[in-house]
Amino acid sequence: MMENIKIREALAEDAEQIIAYTKLVGGETENLTFGESGFPITLEQEEKFLKHVHDDKTSVHLIACKNGEIIGNGSLSGLPRRMSHRAELGLTVKKDYWNLGIGSMLMKKLIEYAKENGIEIINLEVRNDNLNAIHLYEKFGFKHIGTSPAYIKINGYYADFELMYLDLR
Ligand SMILES: CC(C)(COP(=O)(O)OP(=O)(O)OC[C@H]1O[C@@H](n2cnc3c(N)ncnc32)[C@H](O)[C@@H]1OP(=O)(O)O)[C@@H](O)C(=O)NCCC(=O)NCCS
């Protein structure tokens, strides 16, 4: 299962596969802020976005690939102005590959990137019953800030999210 898995930065040429991957993982879980429709973004917008992320030191988009197929992604999105010391983290792994350490591999590389590029605080939001994700974040030293009630609404059901952060100062 773990043979031939490579983690690399996403490039503009990966845009089409990333759009398809986002819809796939959105449909596999109710833990994310999006579902099977993914994001309303065109191929051109996604390509432009990936180029911007590549050029921006406070942002990065990593993908885990197995034999050319995307099976995981991890991102840091830098914030502007007086928040430019902080970045927001996103992490997903394709369901067939959960609990094999791929999320941890991506997280390790994101933290390395943050340290090398002067990101001081990593923030994230995670559904509070998403125990494997919370376990992973705590394992890497993330601390709980508090709970944001009714953070997402799915078919009339409200789910609370934990706000967490990692202080790299
Ligand atoms: C959260 C997610 C990224 C984790 O990826 P992954 O590749 O499965 O992560 P890993 O295998 O590296 O680590 C999972 C950890 O959770 C643990 N775990 C699994 N089920 C658990 C549970 N019910 N309670 C506590 N810990 C659990 C595993 O033992 C492992 O910990 P370990 O490394 O100490 O053994 C993946 O499950 C996912 O994509 N989920 C859907 C999207 C999502 O929720 N993303 C996070 C949004 S904030």
Side-chain angles (χ1 to χ4, degrees):
M1 208 61 173
M2 291 296 280
E3 311 86 60
N4 303 325
I5 294 179
K6 283 199 199 93
I7 294 185
R8 64 170 175 86
E9 196 185 347
L11 302 169
E13 347 5 336
D14 299 309
E16 193 171 354
Q17 232 205 113
I18 286 175
I19 291 173
Y21 171 81
T22 305
K23 290 180 180 168
L24 176 91
V25 288
E28 281 185 337
T29 163
E30 297 206 327
N31 287 332
L32 296 168
T33 55
F34 54 91
E36 62 188 9
S37 331
F39 294 99
I41 193 166
T42 66
L43 182 60
E44 292 70 32
Q45 286 166 335
E46 181 71 31
E47 284 170 354
K48 215 170 148 195
F49 176 71
L50 288 167
K51 278 193 196 106
H52 160 77
V53 169
H54 175 73
D55 294 340
D56 175 8
K57 263 181 52 138
T58 65
S59 300
V60 68
H61 190 137
L62 301 179
I63 49 179
C65 299
K66 187 178 161 87
N67 305 325
E69 181 200 0
I70 301 178
I71 57 163
N73 94 304
S75 61
L76 291 173
S77 307
L79 292 162
R81 303 181 301 276
R82 289 176 172 170
M83 300 174 289
S84 59
H85 61 298
R86 295 198 290 118
E88 282 276 341
L89 181 133
L91 188 67
T92 68
V93 172
K94 192 177 166 183
K95 201 165 192 173
D96 291 345
Y97 294 90
W98 285 4
N99 292 318
L100 294 171
I102 297 166
S104 298
M105 279 162 65
L106 285 160
M107 177 62 91
K108 188 165 172 279
K109 294 223 182 275
L110 290 174
I111 294 173
E112 274 167 24
Y113 180 92
K115 286 182 176 163
E116 283 162 11
N117 290 279
I119 296 168
E120 296 180 83
I121 308 266
I122 302 177
N123 291 98
L124 64 84
E125 293 87 40
V126 55
R127 192 168 152 160
N128 69 346
D129 57 1
N130 189 355
L131 299 181
N132 48 345
I134 292 175
H135 170 88
L136 191 162
Y137 300 145
E138 287 172 344
K139 187 174 85 173
F140 280 92
F142 280 77
K143 300 267 190 292
H144 292 255
I145 298 171
T147 307
S148 192
Y151 192 89
I152 59 169
K153 186 176 180 183
I154 312 175
N155 303 324
Y157 176 81
Y158 299 95
D160 298 347
F161 269 51
E162 276 301 286
L163 309 186
M164 300 182 78
Y165 78 109
L166 180 67
D167 195 336
L168 297 170
R169 288 173 296 168

